[in-house]
Amino acid sequence: MSSKKRRCRHCPSRASNQVMSCRSIGVRCCFLFAALSSLLTGCDPAGDQQLDNATIAIVIPYRPGGGFDRTVRAFAPYFARQLGAGVTVLPENVPGAGGRRGAAKVYRARPDGTTLGIFNLPGFVLPEVLGEKVDYDLRELSWIGRLESQDYVLLISAASELQNLDDVRAADEISFLSTGYGSSVLAATQIIAERLALTDKSPIYLAGYAGTADYLVGLIRGDGNVAVGPVSTSLKYIESGDLRPLAVTGDGSSLPGVPTFTELGFADLAALDLQRSIAGPPGLDAELLTTLREAFLRAVADPEFIATARNARLDLSPLAGAATAAEIEESFTFYETFKTNLKNPNAL
Amino acid sequence: MPDSLFVAADYLSQGANLGYLVLGVAVGIVFGSIPGLGGATAIALLLPLTFGMEPDQAVILMGGIMGAVSIGGSVSAILLNTPGTAPNAATCIDGYPLTRQGKAGLAIGAAATASSIGGIISLGILVAVLPVARTIVLWFGPPAFFMLAVLGLTSLTVASGNLLRGLIAACIGLFFGFVGYDDIGGTARYTIGIDFLWDGISIVPLLIGLFAIAEMMNLYRTGGPISASDDGDTVKVVGTMDGVRSVFANLRTLISGSAIGTVIGLVPGVGGTVASFLSYSFAAQTSKNNENFGSGDIRGVIAPEAANNAKDGGALIPTLAFGIPGSAEMAIFLGVLILHGIDPGPMLLIERESTIFMLILALLVATLISGGVILTSARHLARIAHIDSMLLIPCVITVSFVGAYALHGSIGDVFIAAFFGMLGFVMIRFDYPRITLVIAFVLSGLMERNFIQSMIMFEGDWRRFFGDTTTLVLFLLTLCALLIPIVNRVRTRRSTR
């Protein structure tokens, strides 16, 4: 994600060969802002009186063991450190209804800063875009900052007869492998299929795999012939030579030697990515929100956290709270464009 | 390979590292024996403790927990008819009748020994198949998974004694297994407007209700202690050593149980519950003089216990080589590995061979230590079966509800446990096999998802199921599972004539 040749979603006019993207500028600004705020508040991390000795729960809307759980558990101690000595930050798993229970818990929480949550984009955007009944509204949440972001890669098996994107587009039968309906991966797959004009071939969507690793192994086994995976999870299968990457989303390739969709002529797929961001309930007091956002920025700039994140293979791509809120708005606009392509391909 | 093994052994034998292992074993036994807690909770709780550790030390601690949990879980299965963890459910079938006959020591001795030796055999098999493990994992696509679920369900229903009641129990299990959001069809089923039910019914509160609570309700009805034997300490002590000996007297059951456990463990996403049930039904159907299975045959304890420890060895392969966890505890263990910078995937077997051996050795030593602990404390543990029901019932019910709540911190799980407690009591009264309900419930998701995926793959042509070799072999095994009891019955009739 740290590529230097990225077209930015915030400023599409920025040329692809410009040295820095808006996102990387954003990241640098985050660090600069964190450093400045540290200077202004002295060496001791700023604690806010409203949060003195508070216990803050970061709601993970899934069961322990997944990527969200890992991210929050790695981040919580560093966030607590930046909020002041008496503050405790605890991960709290609230699984249920495909994450909606946890999201609703954050949405309905008292806006006192003691209940925050981690949200997956576009995972939590999609039900709203598709008009499903949900007990939250992402646009009303108080966004504290983005932790992770990663691009998608289009994959085929190394044993496949197909060699490149043109072969995939020319193939008679396309069978995509993916997780179930409502997942970010299936939505990304459907969007890519639409843009590559593969929907004309009535592709099979072999959805319902339990996780990313499951369908990538299915691709190696030959259950289907094409899949779209988040770059970090797919990397190990690419490095082992089991899977072959054909193209990546984003403005600059996060996989050396692999072209971006933009370079192959599908520029509107550049914005397709997967993000994990932290938010609190709607109506957080402005001062409290600023405290949380500043602590967030200092935590993500903490070299110890960066080392932990690298170790834990987090796709760290910090973004400040206000920019994260703008990103959410853009996600809605982006996915609304593809709304008609996002219906369940296996609906009875 | 030998170098890595010695490096791992040397590292494990160092003072602090051995200490972490013992800590893991202690936590594993306690969490395993309390219904509802289990290995996943133990690993999640100890996770923050590993932040300051070296990655290999974290692996050792977690190996200690995983090696000990299933042995701990067998104790409550035998004494209280309440599996501490889901894979121990099959141990209830013969373990609890033995307790009622005053032979709790015999059952615990056999369970601890079978678990320990099963674990060792499995690790031996694992080391041998490590070079071809990848191929085995790749044999199992959606059609093979579906047929494996059919095999599991068929064997258990056939083994349940009364076929009609077995089928009814299986249908009830399948029905409850279908509750929740179907992410292929994109619909919520039988959720009656309750968000909590979107993710389906969790296996742990179901087991707690069906076994612990139902059993306590039944005990309240019958009164007195669990054990029918008035005999005191002598029976139990002698029984424990008899239990150890019985494992060596039934080597065939032990080896077949361990082999089934390892192979099922290798198949990603199937888990130990299926392994122990399949092992049990294989033993019940293929053993000579099998009329006592279900009413207190020691082989009915040896087979599932050998399998449920053996499956841990097998389950390491899909978890480590592909990052696909076979169970909840493996999923959290996967998180621990990643947090420590060990990224499970195809390269791990090559890049971090010593870490894998460290885990294998930790599991092995944990199995042996926990087996030893259970054996030496069996005499005291068996006293539980002699406690008066008026004291035992409130304690077990309280622990059961707390366990159900502790799983996800959700009151919904407590209601689920209470509901299945009542259902379990009705099933006891009318003699319906609860175990068949459990296995159908466990297999329902696997069966349905893979059936639908197979039909999508085959574009609706079911005949293509038989084009896949693994599926065909599993189909033939399913036919065998159906035919063996008929053949046995015909043989018995002929011999009585």
Side-chain angles (χ1 to χ4, degrees), chain A residues 63 65 70 73 96-98 100 180-181 204 206-209 213-214 217 221 223 236-237 240 242 311-313 344 346, chain B residues 47 134 138 140-142 181 183-186 198-199 202 322 324 331 338 341 343-344 346-347 408 449 453 456-457:
Chain A
R63 289 184 178 165
R70 191 168 72 234
R73 282 177 203 279
R100 295 175 195 200
Y181 178 62
I204 291 172
L206 191 50
Y209 285 87
D214 297 73
V217 171
R221 191 167 46 228
D223 294 353
K236 54 196 171 196
Y237 301 99
S240 68
D242 289 310
N311 235 354
R313 291 256 186 158
N344 185 1
N346 297 310
Chain B
L47 178 79
R134 195 187 137 81
L138 290 175
F140 284 84
Y181 184 71
D183 68 355
I184 299 183
W198 263 58
D199 287 346
S202 296
F322 291 104
I324 303 174
I338 296 168
D343 198 11
M347 300 304 286
H408 300 127
R449 187 175 63 245
Q453 285 186 325
I456 295 173
M457 269 171 80

Side-chain angles (χ1 to χ4, degrees), chain A residues 322-333:
Chain A
T324 305
E327 192 89 356
I328 305 299
E329 286 293 342
E330 283 187 29
S331 276
F332 275 93
T333 314

Side-chain angles (χ1 to χ4, degrees), chain A residues 29-282:
Chain A
C29 285
C30 288
F31 291 127
L32 189 65
F33 184 78
L36 278 173
S37 57
S38 289
L39 279 174
L40 287 171
T41 52
C43 294
D44 188 32
D48 185 82
Q49 280 190 344
Q50 288 172 276
L51 290 172
D52 270 353
N53 300 316
T55 299
I56 297 176
I58 301 185
V59 172
I60 305 157
Y62 302 102
R63 289 184 178 165
F68 285 86
D69 194 59
R70 191 168 72 234
T71 303
V72 173
R73 282 177 203 279
F75 176 65
Y78 300 95
F79 191 37
R81 187 191 287 178
Q82 298 300 335
L83 282 165
V87 178
T88 312
V89 179
L90 293 176
E92 183 187 349
N93 297 87
V94 184
R100 295 175 195 200
R101 205 171 139 244
K105 178 170 178 168
V106 178
Y107 184 73
R108 290 180 194 145
R110 281 181 57 188
D112 57 5
T114 57
T115 307
L116 308 177
I118 184 161
F119 294 84
N120 146 30
L121 302 176
F124 285 90
V125 173
L126 289 172
E128 287 195 64
V129 169
L130 294 171
E132 292 173 15
K133 184 186 162 292
V134 288
D135 295 327
Y136 60 84
D137 186 344
L138 286 193
R139 284 170 285 199
E140 288 180 16
L141 291 175
S142 309
W143 291 95
I144 291 161
R146 183 182 72 194
L147 271 173
E148 288 187 274
S149 167
Q150 59 177 307
D151 296 330
Y152 285 108
V153 54
L154 183 71
L155 297 155
I156 54 170
S157 166
S160 171
E161 289 173 359
L162 309 172
Q163 295 295 319
N164 50 42
L165 196 61
D166 290 337
D167 289 350
V168 171
R169 298 188 72 201
D172 293 330
E173 287 184 4
I174 295 292
S175 180
F176 285 110
L177 304 183
S178 154
T179 42
Y181 178 62
S183 67
S184 304
V185 167
L186 182 59
T189 307
Q190 288 174 297
I191 290 171
I192 289 175
E194 197 275 333
R195 277 296 178 261
L196 298 182
L198 295 173
T199 39
D200 304 342
K201 299 172 190 285
S202 304
I204 291 172
Y205 288 92
L206 191 50
Y209 285 87
T212 309
D214 297 73
Y215 73 79
L216 292 182
V217 171
L219 185 61
I220 297 170
R221 191 167 46 228
D223 294 353
N225 56 2
V226 189
V228 173
V231 168
S232 67
T233 322
S234 311
L235 193 61
K236 54 196 171 196
Y237 301 99
I238 296 168
E239 285 173 350
S240 68
D242 289 310
L243 296 179
R244 194 182 307 149
L246 299 182
V248 287
T249 62
D251 299 289
S253 180
S254 37
L255 289 171
V258 181
T260 61
F261 279 105
T262 309
E263 287 163 356
L264 296 169
F266 304 96
D268 44 358
L269 290 177
L272 203 58
D273 63 4
L274 188 67
Q275 305 187 27
R276 286 174 182 154
S277 302
I278 305 278

Side-chain angles (χ1 to χ4, degrees), chain B residues 52-71:
Chain B
M53 292 182 189
E54 289 175 24
D56 286 340
Q57 286 175 330
V59 165
I60 289 171
L61 179 69
M62 298 305 160
I65 295 173
M66 289 192 289
V69 154
S70 54
I71 295 187

